[in-house]
Amino acid sequence: NADLAMYKAKQSGRNQTHFFTAAMQEHANQRMTLEQDLRHALDREQLEVFYQPVVHGRSGRITGVEALLRWHHPERGMIPPDAFIPLAEETGLIGAIGEWVLETACAQLRHWSDKGMNLYLSVNISERQRELGLEAQVVRDILERNRINPSQLVLEITEGLLLQDSEETIGWLNGFKQVGVNLAIDDFGTGYSSLSYLRRFPVDTLKIDREFVRDLNTDRYGDSLVSAIISMAASLELRLIAEGVETEAQRSTLAQQGCQFMQGYLFSRPLPAEELSAWLESYQPQRVQLSRVATPPP
Ligand code: C2E
Ligand code: MG
Ligand code: MG
Ligand code: MG
């Protein structure tokens, strides 16, 4: 009867509420534990900066490296940045962590420069760092301390930051430009910035998101999207880097369409500093290019 049905519905509703509460509690606990762990990650030396080479697509020459953060968690193993950067941003820990990344990567670049390698360095920064003390002067101090020319540094910000279009953001970025640092828009094409938005910001470089690179050579829309981005970058006189280049087919299509710079597993994954040093020393652009072309059967 109706009463019984009502009773059952209420019961199951209650159980469901109970279930969701438990799941949410579990989630909250996990997050809190991770947050506690992240608070100590820096002083317990669990963070490490990896580096991925940026390559000139036609010649295969290495022009720079991007610093990518890793967390070696004592119990969970290596945690990728997508799994803890958002937490670092919410808690404000990204302030200290972000500055440490910049200092560490600049010291590493100094080391490579001393060995005669002429590279630029790209470092990701979060918009949250604006309120957390990452001022132009801080960047200038880090560069001076490590004797790095400002033009050797690129700061990468995501496209989302442009959409806010606030005077504060523009002022913040202009401060970096005054120091002589370059700015790149990361993951370009995933947000909704238009040409007019882009022109308002003092950026030098666009990085095409790997989503677009993945769609290359799959259908004609994939190709035309990328060529639209390439011609847009050219008309705005912006440097262009394609992210996530994994195959020779993607490399050659991009190069043919006029995209100069590339990054991706085809060349190298992000590596610890020591491993990248070894990789750089043995790297031979021509050899690598040729070996990627289908090898004839023995
Ligand atoms: P991102 O800056 O767009 O970095 C590129 C990501 O693509 C990296 O992931 C890199 O490992 C990955 N990748 C490179 N080549 C390939 C490829 O050929 N195929 C595929 N499938 N992936 C490729 P990662 O290292 O996991 O970093 C993820 C994101 O975390 C970064 O995206 C960046 O937004 C953020 N991040 C990393 N380090 C930092 C940091 O120090 N500070 C801040 N604020 N964010 C960081
Ligand atoms: Mg990046
Ligand atoms: Mg990206
Ligand atoms: Mg990203």
Side-chain angles (χ1 to χ4, degrees):
N1 66 35
D3 276 353
L4 186 62
M6 177 70 93
Y7 174 77
K8 278 191 170 160
K10 266 194 181 159
Q11 273 310 102
S12 78
R14 196 167 297 147
N15 284 341
Q16 225 163 14
T17 313
H18 181 75
F19 171 77
F20 280 126
T21 313
M24 280 159 66
Q25 187 61 49
E26 173 65 18
H27 184 79
N29 288 347
Q30 272 183 15
R31 189 187 178 281
M32 230 153 67
T33 315
L34 200 65
E35 185 180 323
Q36 287 310 320
D37 293 349
L38 189 56
R39 285 190 190 283
H40 297 292
L42 251 187
D43 44 279
R44 291 182 185 160
E45 300 184 6
Q46 295 166 357
L47 298 182
E48 183 177 8
V49 181
F50 277 30
Y51 301 87
Q52 186 180 39
V54 179
V55 179
H56 181 253
R58 265 184 208 284
S59 65
R61 206 165 32 83
I62 309 299
T63 58
V65 292
E66 176 175 8
L68 293 158
L69 187 58
R70 298 290 181 267
W71 179 11
H72 302 284
H73 191 283
E75 284 111 39
R76 299 187 192 202
M78 177 135 81
I79 305 186
D82 287 333
F84 70 89
I85 294 281
L87 187 61
E89 290 173 344
E90 282 165 42
T91 54
L93 290 167
I94 194 67
I97 291 175
E99 240 174 79
W100 177 84
V101 170
L102 194 58
E103 181 82 54
T104 304
C106 283
Q108 184 60 48
L109 185 65
R110 175 76 263 148
H111 181 75
W112 281 323
S113 298
D114 288 344
K115 288 173 116 187
M117 291 182 228
N118 181 23
L119 300 166
Y120 78 82
L121 167 71
S122 212
V123 176
N124 295 281
I125 58 170
S126 296
E127 185 213 337
R128 276 282 276 141
Q129 289 178 261
R130 180 168 64 78
E131 313 130 54
L132 293 167
L134 188 70
E135 290 157 19
Q137 188 57 45
V138 172
V139 174
R140 194 201 298 269
D141 288 347
I142 292 176
L143 291 170
E144 277 175 8
R145 203 158 40 241
N146 293 286
R147 290 172 291 122
I148 306 278
N149 190 313
S151 66
Q152 275 179 282
L153 179 67
V154 180
L155 295 176
E156 297 190 8
I157 51 174
T158 51
E159 200 183 358
L161 191 138
L162 303 191
L163 297 176
Q164 308 209 336
D165 193 19
S166 64
E167 290 306 314
E168 283 85 12
T169 305
I170 296 177
W172 188 49
L173 299 179
N174 276 328
F176 296 133
K177 286 304 298 177
Q178 278 156 20
V179 170
V181 166
N182 299 291
L183 297 174
I185 302 295
D186 208 349
D187 305 341
F188 183 77
T190 56
Y192 301 92
S193 51
S194 62
L195 284 176
S196 57
Y197 264 112
L198 274 181
R199 275 173 50 94
R200 302 169 68 105
F201 294 84
V203 297
D204 316 276
T205 302
L206 294 184
K207 299 188 77 172
I208 311 181
D209 194 72
R210 65 171 184 268
E211 193 178 300
F212 296 98
V213 174
R214 192 191 52 213
D215 293 345
L216 273 178
N217 309 317
T218 56
D219 59 45
R220 65 200 163 90
Y221 297 111
D223 287 16
S224 51
L225 269 173
V226 168
S227 63
I229 295 177
I230 291 173
S231 55
M232 189 182 98
S235 60
L236 290 172
E237 293 177 16
L238 296 172
R239 226 169 91 103
L240 193 65
I241 302 175
E243 297 189 299
V245 178
E246 294 183 356
T247 66
E248 169 55 28
Q250 291 167 340
R251 186 201 66 78
S252 67
T253 304
L254 285 162
Q256 267 162 28
Q257 292 198 2
C259 175
Q260 275 191 298
F261 301 99
M262 305 176 196
Q263 220 177 319
Y265 296 170
L266 173 65
F267 308 102
S268 170
R269 288 176 179 264
L271 297 171
E274 294 289 282
E275 282 179 46
L276 191 75
S277 296
W279 186 88
L280 287 169
E281 271 163 32
S282 66
Y283 180 78
Q284 286 175 297
Q286 301 312 326
R287 278 262 293 281
V288 168
Q289 298 287 304
L290 292 174
S291 69
R292 296 291 175 185
V293 180
T295 12

